[in-house]
Amino acid sequence: MVDDYHINLIKKYLDNQCSPAEKLEIETWFEHYSGGDRTFYNNDSGLINDAMFRSLVNIRERITASETTEVDGKEVRLQPKFRFRYAAIAATVLLFIVAGSYLAIHKKAAAPKLARRSLPKADTPRSTNKAILTLANGKKIVLDDAKSGKLAVQGNSSVTKAVDGRIIYKAADRAASNDEVAYNTITTPNGGQYQVVLPDGSNVWLDAASSITYPSAFTGNKRQVKLTGQAYFEVAKNHEKPFLVNVDDKQQIEVLGTHFNIQAYPDDRDVKTTLLEGSVKLTYKNNHAILKPGQMAVNAPDQALLIKQADVYEVMAWKNNMFVFNNENIKSIMKRLARWYDIDVAFNGNMENVNFFGNYSRSKGLSNLLRDIELIDKVHFKIKGRRVTVTAP
């Protein structure tokens, strides 16, 4: 629950070293868990040590303090952003906790029942840093197989694979206006993800089954890329060169320097853009909108652009190696699992009202995750090779 990533983020938060995006993320994460798991506050639970407990209490105090403001010289208490929202689902989340505890205590008794459902006892995830870099001349480089070091020269930029696996573009200090600009594409397969540092220093994290196309150097008066799938952007600030994202020819996003997430898979009906820091301008058909941190823009082909408050923890779960299901339908869940575990999915029965709450590590093997979902007893799964059949009782 309190993993290494969030421990480090908590330390930065308490030392006032978080960026606005990180501050929003840790507060949303805290409210998400503390609203649904009562033992989160309970130091007797054994889930956290004394130092971590004091840190979490400190976060609670800071969030509470931020829920007041001054109007005309008087202190006005604001409604907490997330507390009451998650209290409504506390019972369901608690059910997951109780079910998990029951399975741990009665593992031997449960084994025969699970075996009849054709789920392996254990498996390993397919998750890893996997991607293919397609150069301007059509040459393809399998990045997970490539060794660290310089991979290619594209136009006026060198392409390097860092020791930590990132792909980094470094343009020459001075680029001539007539230098050739080469367009490259990084594509992640099902079960893959990757990080690339663009020629301007912007960082992009690609989720599974996604791709980004970009120039080897940003020339002219703008920086433009094209995205399909899901990606998180931390754009380097440059007020003289706006950063433009063409979202699968469905939407255009313009920023100067900011942090945001885009979900735009071809088989999804909606395109979702969530802002964590800074501001972005969206253009959808003839509609324009300016997002504020914590807001999400949703557009569908037959609807007007919708702006709403985002659940930042849920949106950013994929980047933090998590699945978060917030009353999500099983068909939507299985679509996400298909991208991550590279499986084919079939359904038997009516899935219309089969929804789930839950939080799972994406490092967890597929059959282990499906076994946990089965404990709620709404659906059963059968795995045969790469095919998973979902049956409603």
Side-chain angles (χ1 to χ4, degrees):
M1 184 177 296
V2 187
D3 53 27
D4 290 341
Y5 172 82
H6 288 101
I7 287 174
N8 292 330
L9 207 55
I10 286 170
K11 291 177 180 177
K12 290 182 66 177
Y13 182 91
L14 297 176
D15 291 338
N16 295 315
Q17 294 178 352
C18 279
S19 68
E22 290 172 332
K23 183 175 183 291
L24 180 62
E25 181 179 353
I26 194 64
E27 289 185 352
T28 309
W29 167 84
F30 179 83
E31 289 287 355
H32 188 106
Y33 272 124
S34 63
D37 182 0
R38 305 297 175 82
T39 63
F40 196 86
Y41 295 110
N42 183 7
N43 201 29
D44 297 330
S45 65
L47 294 175
I48 53 179
N49 59 34
D50 289 341
M52 182 57 65
F53 178 73
R54 288 193 296 272
S55 297
L56 296 174
V57 170
N58 200 336
I59 290 179
R60 173 69 271 165
E61 291 174 351
R62 291 196 185 189
I63 294 176
T64 301
S66 68
E67 291 163 359
T68 63
T69 188
E70 186 174 297
V71 178
D72 296 331
K74 297 180 180 179
E75 189 178 73
V76 178
R77 186 170 181 81
L78 302 176
Q79 180 177 335
K81 296 184 220 177
F82 306 103
R83 184 186 303 158
F84 298 109
R85 178 178 178 184
Y86 286 105
I89 67 170
T92 308
V93 176
L94 190 59
L95 179 59
F96 271 86
I97 296 168
V98 172
S101 300
Y102 180 86
L103 180 62
I105 296 171
H106 302 280
K107 188 175 182 181
K108 291 183 180 179
K113 184 177 180 181
L114 293 173
R116 287 198 300 269
R117 294 177 183 174
S118 301
L119 293 181
K121 290 182 180 180
D123 55 8
T124 55
R126 301 175 63 90
S127 56
T128 185
N129 282 346
K130 297 189 296 185
I132 295 175
L133 169 63
T134 303
L135 302 177
N137 61 4
K139 179 182 178 181
K140 296 182 183 296
I141 301 175
V142 180
L143 296 177
D144 34 313
D145 292 341
K147 295 181 179 180
S148 301
K150 183 180 288 188
L151 300 181
V153 174
Q154 293 288 278
N156 200 48
S157 297
S158 61
V159 186
T160 303
K161 181 179 179 180
V163 175
D164 60 7
R166 293 177 301 157
I167 294 302
I168 301 175
Y169 282 74
K170 184 173 179 56
D173 293 335
R174 293 185 178 182
S177 59
N178 60 350
D179 280 343
E180 180 183 357
V181 176
Y183 283 86
N184 291 180
T185 299
I186 289 184
T187 304
T188 54
N190 288 340
Q193 58 185 16
Y194 223 85
Q195 181 184 355
V196 57
V197 181
L198 299 177
D200 66 335
S202 295
N203 282 271
V204 182
W205 287 261
L206 284 178
D207 197 6
S210 303
S211 70
I212 183 170
T213 300
Y214 50 90
S216 59
F218 291 111
T219 59
N221 57 3
K222 61 183 178 181
R223 299 168 287 168
Q224 188 161 3
V225 301
K226 183 175 181 179
L227 173 73
T228 298
Q230 179 159 233
Y232 173 66
F233 291 80
E234 291 185 354
V235 175
K237 293 182 180 180
N238 186 337
H239 293 282
E240 297 179 356
K241 282 189 178 184
F243 191 96
L244 304 177
V245 183
N246 181 336
V247 186
D248 200 23
D249 295 324
K250 298 176 182 177
Q251 183 186 97
Q252 181 170 278
I253 299 169
E254 179 180 342
V255 303
L256 297 175
T258 187
H259 300 180
F260 58 98
N261 189 83
I262 303 173
Q263 181 180 327
Y265 285 103
D267 56 347
D268 281 346
R269 179 173 175 268
D270 300 334
V271 174
K272 299 177 181 178
T273 304
T274 305
L275 181 65
L276 278 78
E277 180 179 332
S279 66
V280 299
K281 177 182 178 181
L282 292 94
T283 302
Y284 167 61
K285 296 183 178 178
N286 294 323
N287 298 318
H288 304 279
I290 303 293
L291 288 188
K292 298 178 181 179
Q295 290 184 333
M296 172 189 288
V298 182
N299 69 271
D302 56 346
Q303 294 181 355
L305 192 64
L306 171 67
I307 308 297
K308 65 179 184 179
Q309 198 67 26
D311 182 336
V312 176
Y313 178 73
E314 182 179 345
V315 171
M316 295 304 300
W318 73 268
K319 184 175 176 289
N320 298 329
N321 201 33
M322 292 288 294
F323 287 115
V324 174
F325 308 139
N326 187 1
N327 196 27
E328 186 169 350
N329 185 264
I330 188 63
K331 285 192 171 182
S332 174
I333 289 174
M334 295 309 297
K335 183 186 292 186
R336 290 208 273 158
L337 298 188
R339 293 174 187 143
W340 188 242
Y341 293 102
D342 192 23
I343 56 173
D344 296 322
V345 181
F347 296 93
N348 288 327
N350 185 358
M351 306 290 167
E352 184 177 353
N353 297 314
V354 182
N355 294 356
F356 292 93
F357 294 95
N359 302 278
Y360 299 92
S361 169
R362 297 211 307 183
S363 297
K364 177 176 285 191
L366 175 63
S367 64
N368 294 331
L369 192 157
L370 297 182
R371 179 181 286 108
D372 288 348
I373 295 177
E374 273 195 341
L375 289 172
I376 307 302
D377 211 27
K378 288 184 178 181
V379 292
H380 304 311
F381 301 97
K382 182 177 181 180
I383 301 177
K384 186 175 182 180
R386 290 183 56 255
R387 189 174 183 82
V388 176
T389 302
V390 187
T391 302

